[in-house]
Amino acid sequence: MAKNFLLGVLTFIGCGMRNSPEGDTAGYAANKTNAKTIYDFKVKDIAGNDVSLADFKGKVVMIVNVASKCGLTPQYETLEAAYKKYQDKGFVILGFPANNFMGQEPGSNEEISGFCKRNYGVTFPMFSKIDVKGKEQSPLYKFLTDKKENGVVDADVSWNFQKFLVDREGHVVTYFKPATEVTDPAVVKAIEALL
């Protein structure tokens, strides 16, 4: 019994250390027949306007929970560069500010928008602040993080800048842990395979 417990702990620790995609290809293939997609959700943009994610049909989408006062905040720069590099091929990044981790996104939507433009020249779509975990978790993030909902991965958001990759039909393909940059070869390969 002690051996099984130790094996479980080591497996858990090992999973937490991985920077590779966490999705499972078989799960993704099966999910293609699942009717539920990101297109089933409506959100508010950073200015408070209603947006249907169906507006992004036909695009490869990366959904990222972002924060302005995090050690990973400089990732805005590489995210913007990836957006500019691939947007003409049908790639878009959707940024969702969230204050779920040590109060690292305390600002208002207006302050967040100004910060992103002023410091990182962000032009990819930004949305109103939401909860990505906990009792007030947004329906979109409930879908992204629960395999029963998305058909592919259980992927609790562990910190700011976790990245979910979605195909042109709105199905979740995989996700990347927060510290994994969009420039990481595994991320680049996953994006380019969908373009």
Side-chain angles (χ1 to χ4, degrees):
M1 184 164 186
K3 182 179 177 184
N4 288 342
F5 174 76
L6 181 59
L7 182 60
V9 169
L10 290 173
T11 302
F12 174 78
I13 291 169
C15 288
M17 299 298 285
R18 288 174 62 191
N19 276 333
S20 59
E22 297 295 329
D24 130 24
T25 307
Y28 168 60
N31 187 44
K32 299 282 275 182
T33 60
N34 183 349
K36 196 164 187 182
T37 68
I38 64 164
Y39 306 146
D40 295 317
F41 298 93
K42 290 186 178 170
V43 292
K44 290 193 178 294
D45 69 15
I46 198 98
N49 302 307
D50 289 329
V51 176
S52 170
L53 293 185
D55 292 350
F56 299 99
K57 273 186 182 174
K59 293 189 180 290
V60 174
V61 177
M62 179 172 277
I63 297 173
V64 187
N65 61 300
V66 295
S68 303
K69 297 184 181 298
C70 174
L72 300 178
T73 299
Q75 285 193 26
Y76 269 124
E77 186 174 344
T78 52
L79 288 167
E80 178 63 18
Y83 174 58
K84 285 182 174 167
K85 178 177 180 180
Y86 296 117
Q87 80 178 111
D88 289 344
K89 295 180 180 179
F91 177 68
V92 66
I93 293 173
L94 309 181
F96 286 87
N99 195 34
N100 295 113
F101 301 100
M102 296 182 66
Q104 293 183 346
E105 187 54 280
S108 67
N109 288 327
E110 187 177 16
E111 289 168 335
I112 294 165
S113 179
F115 171 85
C116 291
K117 287 176 184 163
R118 186 173 56 253
N119 294 289
Y120 296 101
V122 169
T123 61
F124 58 81
M126 291 286 293
F127 294 85
S128 291
K129 195 153 66 165
I130 61 169
D131 284 310
V132 297
K133 61 183 286 182
K135 291 181 182 176
E136 303 298 318
Q137 184 182 42
S138 78
L140 172 62
Y141 268 81
K142 171 74 173 149
F143 170 74
L144 292 173
T145 59
D146 187 345
K147 187 172 183 176
K148 290 184 200 124
E149 299 266 333
N150 64 53
V152 180
V153 291
D154 281 318
D156 287 342
V157 179
S158 60
W159 202 253
N160 306 305
F161 292 89
Q162 187 154 311
K163 300 152 194 78
F164 290 88
L165 191 60
V166 178
D167 71 12
R168 292 183 187 272
E169 289 81 43
H171 297 107
V172 174
V173 177
T174 190
Y175 77 100
F176 298 92
K177 293 186 180 295
T180 305
E181 292 261 9
V182 74
T183 53
D184 184 285
V187 183
V188 171
K189 182 178 179 183
I191 292 169
E192 291 183 349
L194 296 173
L195 291 175

